[in-house]
Amino acid sequence: MDITRQFIEQKKNLGKIGFGCGIGTIVEAPAYTNRSQKYNFVITWILKGSGKYTEDGQVYSLHDGCVCMRRPDRDYRLELAPEVGVRPYLAIPQSIYPALTCLIPELESLPPVWEMPYNDAFLDEFISLYDRIDALSSLELYNAFPAMVHYILRISGIEKSRAHNPLLHGRILLEEKTSLSVAEIAERCGMNYNTFRKQFAKTFGVPPAQYRIRHRILSAKQLLEIGLPVGEVAASLGYPDIYSFTHQFTAVTGQSPTEFRNDREMRE
């Protein structure tokens, strides 16, 4: 725990345009609720401390070596014991939460409290994340988002569970720039096409081919919004040519890529 104490002595809690990162050490209020908190998603690793957390009427015990996750769409109440604690936390504003759940949909189904004993590697990653956020201006924070996602994947145990889940491996392949067909992805996941398609749809709510299209169109919108030319967007997402990309984008959104970008610029 020496590294934790050293972190507390050397660094302060950070807060930038709704994001927060730091280590809470002293209880400043008897309770927190979804109506009193500035941040809408907070994941806290309780290295030392106790209390209780209530979500949607169910009560969970908080203790040394557990993680507590507060989500914006849940009613919760957090009560901490009146004692000095050690609680590394990462807070993300509500506006970013939908993007976070697109990348980590498992967050919606996880229980709000789980066991996570002290681990040097996890704390080192947290400190690295803190330093990265500290070095960025508010307008540059998006550069730290991948690191935030990776930390959440590790501290939640989702990264480890994904390595043993063929459907999650398949979803990753569907999101990549690849020419693999759905049947080829199913084969790489050790499943036949029909089983993969049915189980994927049951798990993620849409068939794999439709999931791939949705992911590509969402990515395309983001790239168009930052000003990337239509041809570069098509190439970066693995489309064979600009015409195939334009046809699919228009079919899904009702606008051509150029119309979408122009409408966005006019609204701004």
Side-chain angles (χ1 to χ4, degrees):
M1 281 294 193
D2 289 344
I3 190 172
T4 306
R5 296 297 181 188
Q6 187 177 25
F7 180 94
I8 293 169
E9 292 172 2
Q10 293 178 351
K11 301 177 185 293
K12 299 179 180 179
N13 297 335
L14 294 173
K16 295 186 176 183
I17 59 169
F19 289 87
C21 186
I23 290 189
T25 56
I26 300 174
V27 177
E28 297 179 352
Y32 304 91
T33 70
N34 55 319
R35 296 177 181 83
S36 66
Q37 282 294 282
K38 175 182 177 182
Y39 302 114
N40 291 284
F41 174 84
V42 186
I43 189 162
T44 305
W45 186 16
I46 301 176
L47 298 177
K48 177 177 172 53
S50 60
K52 65 179 181 179
Y53 183 81
T54 305
E55 181 180 277
D56 296 336
Q58 186 168 351
V59 180
Y60 300 83
S61 173
L62 301 178
H63 50 269
D64 295 1
C66 75
V67 174
C68 179
M69 176 175 63
R70 289 175 267 170
R71 291 166 284 199
D73 54 352
R74 314 295 171 94
D75 286 327
Y76 69 79
R77 181 178 178 84
L78 170 63
E79 300 175 69
L80 296 169
E83 60 188 13
V84 175
V86 181
R87 304 182 302 276
Y89 69 88
L90 174 65
I92 293 176
Q94 183 178 12
S95 59
I96 304 298
Y97 186 67
L100 184 63
T101 54
C102 282
L103 296 170
I104 317 177
E106 298 95 329
L107 290 177
E108 293 286 78
S109 57
L110 276 181
V113 177
W114 61 87
E115 300 296 316
M116 184 56 67
Y118 176 78
N119 181 300
D120 280 331
F122 287 180
L123 187 59
D124 287 345
E125 180 168 357
F126 178 83
I127 292 173
S128 176
L129 175 61
Y130 177 100
D131 289 337
R132 184 163 188 180
I133 293 174
D134 187 31
L136 296 171
S137 71
S138 295
L139 295 177
E140 297 172 321
L141 274 177
Y142 66 90
N143 287 315
F145 192 60
M148 296 180 197
V149 170
H150 189 260
Y151 172 74
I152 293 170
L153 283 170
R154 295 194 72 195
I155 202 68
S156 65
I158 292 172
E159 181 184 57
K160 186 176 181 179
S161 69
R162 283 184 175 185
H164 303 286
N165 189 320
L167 292 176
L168 291 171
H169 178 57
R171 192 185 70 184
I172 291 170
L173 292 175
L174 289 166
E175 292 175 355
E176 291 179 350
K177 176 186 173 181
T178 176
S179 60
L180 292 173
S181 67
V182 174
E184 290 170 326
I185 289 175
E187 184 178 356
R188 290 198 176 192
C189 294
M191 306 169 73
N192 66 55
Y193 171 78
N194 288 330
T195 301
F196 176 73
R197 185 180 183 281
K198 290 177 182 178
Q199 291 191 11
F200 190 96
K202 182 179 180 180
T203 302
F204 299 112
V206 293
Q210 188 176 346
Y211 180 88
R212 170 182 267 171
I213 292 172
R214 285 187 179 182
H215 179 77
R216 282 182 170 181
I217 297 304
L218 177 61
S219 299
K221 287 181 176 180
Q222 294 170 342
L223 294 173
L224 289 167
E225 286 174 355
I226 64 173
L228 208 65
V230 175
E232 289 186 29
V233 173
S236 69
L237 295 176
Y239 286 91
D241 52 61
I242 191 172
Y243 306 105
S244 300
F245 166 62
T246 299
H247 175 75
Q248 188 169 87
F249 188 96
T250 304
V252 173
T253 68
Q255 292 180 302
S256 71
T258 302
E259 290 171 338
F260 172 82
R261 184 170 57 199
N262 290 343
D263 281 356
R264 182 78 178 185
E265 291 174 352
M266 288 180 63
R267 288 195 297 272
E268 293 177 349

